[in-house]
Every structure is written in structure tokens, then in C-alpha cells.
């Protein structure tokens, strides 16, 4: 059985919410997308990619194929536009079937897995993560780095031939949970705080999401905040 919760908040500093999400247990599809571009371009980009992924999954494509196809659709749209501003989005997506899961991501929206402990299974496509991997930056310094929001991959911005979609898959076991979120959550509260909420079996998934959003607002709420929690039992 799948139980899930979802929510988004514009935050305390932004005028518009450029995040979007999708949650459908019947399709087994859950995703979070964090748009960028300003002047309403961000929310258009994230919504276009959300709708494209849903469409392609419904048509029988795999999750990675759907993300790839959504990126191509967004690039086609932006190439035909006369707008000067860029138009892109991150994506963090989960597809579950009867006994397996698959995740795919582009950018710095994250996917965590819960199995007695919280573990990030996505890998940020960001400048600071690249600096950490090259040994130029200590991991403890990433949250305060002035360029922490600079992405190295994004749908609608990265050319198709240069796009590297992160992916992972595995067997779905009872007691497994997933958290999908935009960076507005992870910049406002740390992983330990997320884990402490997800671990609460006395709360339904929706209550956990509500608490995550409240804690992120208490932590500053500088960006749009979006989270989806999926539990399998």
C-alpha cells in the first residue's frame, strides 16, 4: 500500500511560486520540479515539464525516457520563443510499481530514501557539489557557499546531448519511504531535521509534509518550498 503527502509554499521572500509537483498513486508517479527564469518563466517551465512527464509515463515510457522527452519538449518551446530570459527547471521524480522503484533527477531538487535512517539517493547537479567532488571544497561549507544555487544541469537549459539524467532503481520493500523536495526545503532545514519528521510513525505522510513546510518557514523560508513524501507498506 502507498500512502503519500504533498505540499508547496511560496516562502517568505518570493512573490511567485515557481515550484510545482505531481503525486498520483494510481500511476505510481511522484515528482517535484523547481523552475527558474523569472518573469513567470520558472513556473511555466516547471509546469510544462511536469505535464510532459505525466503524458509520457501514461503513454508507456520509462521514467528516464519521460524526463528526457520532457527536456526536449521544453528546449523546443524555448527555441521557438523570442524571450531573452532563460527558462529551465530541475526535476526529482519517483516511479513505483508493485515491487520496485525507479528515481530520476536533474538539478538540485533532491530525493531521499527512508529505511530506518534517511539517505540522499539523488546527486546534486550543482557547482558546489562539483567542487566537493574535485576536492576544492569541504562538504560542510556547501550550505553557506555564495554559489550554492548555481546548477550544472537543468532541463530547458542544458542541451540534449549534454544532459546527464541521474537515476537509480531498486526493489521496493515494506517500510520504505521517499522524500522528494526542492532546494527551498533543504536550504532552510538540515537532513537531521528532515529525518526526525519522516521517522514519526505517529504522523501520516501529509502531516509530515505539513510539518516540514512549517519548519522550513521557521528556518527562513527564503525560497519556494515543496515536498512530497511517499511511504510503502
Amino acid at each position: 500500500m502507498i500512502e503519500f503527502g504533498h505540499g508547496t509554499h511560496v516562502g517568505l521572500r518570493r512573490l511567485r511560486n515557481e515550484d510545482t509537483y505531481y503525486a498520483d498513486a494510481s500511476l505510481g508517479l511522484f515528482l517535484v520540479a523547481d523552475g527558474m527564469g523569472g518573469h513567470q518563466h520558472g513556473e511555466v517551465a516547471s509546469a510544462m515539464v511536469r505535464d510532459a512527464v505525466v503524458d509520457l509515463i501514461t503513454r508507456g515510457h520509462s521514467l528516464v525516457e519521460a524526463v528526457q522527452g520532457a527536456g526536449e519538449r521544453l528546449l523546443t518551446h524555448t527555441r521557438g520563443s523570442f524571450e531573452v530570459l532563460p527558462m529551465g527547471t530541475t526535476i526529482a521524480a519517483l516511479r513505483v510499481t508493485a515491487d520496485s522503484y525507479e528515481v530520476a533527477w536533474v538539478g538540485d531538487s533532491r530525493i531521499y530514501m527512508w529505511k530506518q535512517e534517511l539517505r540522499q539517493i539523488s546527486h546534486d547537479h550543482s557547482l558546489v557539489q562539483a567542487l566537493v567532488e574535485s576536492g576544492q571544497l569541504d562538504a560542510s561549507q556547501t550550505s553557506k557557499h555564495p554559489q550554492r544555487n548555481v546548477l550544472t544541469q537543468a532541463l530547458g537549459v542544458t542541451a540534449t546531448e549534454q544532459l546527464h539524467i541521474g537515476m537509480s532503481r531498486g526493489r521496493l520493500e515494506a517500510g520504505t519511504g521517499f522524500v522528494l523536495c526542492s532546494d527551498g526545503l533543504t536550504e532552510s532545514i538540515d537532513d537531521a531535521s528532515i529525518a526526525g519528521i519522516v521517522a514519526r510513525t505517529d504522523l501520516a505522510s501529509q502531516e509530515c509534509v505539513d510539518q516540514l513546510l512549517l519548519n522550513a518557514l521557521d528556518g527562513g523560508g527564503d525560497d519556494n518550498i515543496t515536498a512530497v513524501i511517499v511511504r510503502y507498506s
Side-chain angles (χ1 to χ4, degrees), residues 65 67-77 79 155-156 160 163:
E65 289 171 344
V67 171
Q68 179 89 29
E72 290 172 357
R73 289 188 189 183
L74 185 55
L75 279 170
T76 299
H77 176 83
R79 278 197 294 264
L155 296 181
T160 301
L163 184 65

Side-chain angles (χ1 to χ4, degrees), residues 197-220:
I197 293 171
V198 177
R200 292 191 58 178
T201 56
D202 61 316
L203 297 180
S205 294
Q206 186 60 56
E207 292 175 301
C208 289
V209 169
D210 294 343
Q211 192 62 56
L212 285 176
L213 297 183
L214 286 172
N215 286 13
L217 292 171
D218 287 342

Side-chain angles (χ1 to χ4, degrees), residues 54-97:
V54 173
D55 175 56
L56 291 165
I57 289 292
T58 303
R59 292 170 182 264
H61 291 272
S62 71
L63 186 59
V64 170
E65 289 171 344
V67 171
Q68 179 89 29
E72 290 172 357
R73 289 188 189 183
L74 185 55
L75 279 170
T76 299
H77 176 83
T78 55
R79 278 197 294 264
S81 172
F82 295 103
E83 299 286 352
V84 176
L85 290 171
M87 185 172 170
T89 184
T90 70
I91 189 168
L94 164 70
R95 183 86 195 278
V96 296
T97 60

Side-chain angles (χ1 to χ4, degrees), residues 41-220:
H41 286 61
E43 54 259 52
V44 171
S46 59
M48 283 186 64
V49 163
R50 175 201 64 206
D51 294 345
V53 170
V54 173
D55 175 56
L56 291 165
I57 289 292
T58 303
R59 292 170 182 264
H61 291 272
S62 71
L63 186 59
V64 170
E65 289 171 344
V67 171
Q68 179 89 29
E72 290 172 357
R73 289 188 189 183
L74 185 55
L75 279 170
T76 299
H77 176 83
T78 55
R79 278 197 294 264
S81 172
F82 295 103
E83 299 286 352
V84 176
L85 290 171
M87 185 172 170
T89 184
T90 70
I91 189 168
L94 164 70
R95 183 86 195 278
V96 296
T97 60
D99 59 356
S100 65
Y101 72 87
E102 182 180 14
V103 295
W105 67 90
V106 177
D108 62 355
S109 290
R110 291 182 176 178
I111 306 168
Y112 294 89
M113 175 183 282
W114 171 264
K115 279 186 179 179
Q116 283 78 53
E117 63 179 5
L118 192 73
R119 178 172 64 92
Q120 183 181 341
I121 56 175
S122 63
H123 174 91
D124 293 356
H125 294 141
S126 65
L127 176 61
V128 294
Q129 183 61 38
L131 292 173
V132 169
E133 292 173 0
S134 65
Q136 299 178 63
L137 183 69
D138 188 88
S140 63
Q141 300 174 307
T142 58
S143 63
K144 302 298 181 184
H145 197 280
Q147 294 177 297
R148 63 186 179 278
N149 299 121
V150 177
L151 301 181
T152 56
Q153 298 273 318
L155 296 181
V157 177
T158 306
T160 301
E161 63 273 13
Q162 297 175 325
L163 184 65
H164 300 291
I165 301 172
M167 63 169 293
S168 179
R169 58 170 61 98
R171 185 171 181 80
L172 200 56
E173 300 174 354
T176 302
F178 298 90
V179 180
L180 288 70
C181 62
S182 62
D183 67 338
L185 181 74
T186 53
E187 288 209 344
S188 295
I189 58 175
D190 58 22
D191 287 5
S193 298
I194 296 173
I197 293 171
V198 177
R200 292 191 58 178
T201 56
D202 61 316
L203 297 180
S205 294
Q206 186 60 56
E207 292 175 301
C208 289
V209 169
D210 294 343
Q211 192 62 56
L212 285 176
L213 297 183
L214 286 172
N215 286 13
L217 292 171
D218 287 342

